[in-house]
Amino acid sequence: MSEQRILVVDDEEQLREMYARAFAKAGYAVQTAASAEEALDIQRQTPFSVMFLDLKLPGMNGVELCRHIRTSWPMTIPYAVTGYASLYELTDCRDAGFEDYFTKPARIADLLKAADYAFGKLERWKKG
């Protein structure tokens, strides 16, 4: 199995660090970004297969970022994480290409389960 890499994109430093620690403790290779633009720079250098994206970001928002990722890296599985559920409709997130949608404060166990599911899905796709 290849290295399982996760990119966490959130403008809140404490959340980025908390998610990164949890994913790393579970055995994933994790990198973080504070903005959509930073995430795209990282993704261009070394593509990540699974991403957890905050929706309310400075500059480009998470929905726009997801659309860009799905167009440029269609095998990437993005998840939405937001504290502003009322600003972003679930249907907008699904239309953008998010795999699933979590509201803050998201339970770490749920995020880990989602990551496990995503990497399992990617493995199935590779075998297909």
Side-chain angles (χ1 to χ4, degrees), residues 13 77 79:
E13 184 177 3
I77 298 177
Y79 289 98

Side-chain angles (χ1 to χ4, degrees), residues 23-125:
F23 287 129
K25 187 176 179 181
Y28 298 108
V30 186
Q31 192 163 346
T32 65
S35 70
E37 293 79 10
E38 182 183 359
L40 288 173
D41 288 343
I42 292 168
Q43 185 72 356
R44 285 183 194 106
Q45 293 174 19
T46 308
F48 283 74
S49 300
V50 177
M51 295 183 176
F52 288 85
L53 312 177
D54 184 15
L55 296 182
K56 191 170 190 294
L57 295 167
M60 180 189 304
N61 70 37
V63 172
E64 295 169 35
L65 174 58
C66 181
R67 286 188 180 114
H68 189 83
I69 288 166
R70 297 299 286 165
T71 299
S72 300
W73 298 276
M75 296 295 285
T76 296
I77 298 177
Y79 289 98
V81 183
T82 186
Y84 299 91
S86 63
L87 293 178
Y88 301 95
E89 294 293 326
L90 179 57
T91 54
D92 293 336
C93 290
R94 293 296 295 167
D95 289 346
F98 281 107
E99 183 73 21
D100 205 345
Y101 180 96
F102 299 94
T103 55
K104 292 178 185 177
R107 291 182 49 230
I108 295 296
D110 291 340
L111 300 180
L112 291 171
K113 185 176 178 182
D116 186 54
Y117 172 80
F119 285 112
K121 187 176 194 176
L122 289 166
E123 285 299 314
R124 289 190 305 276
W125 289 351

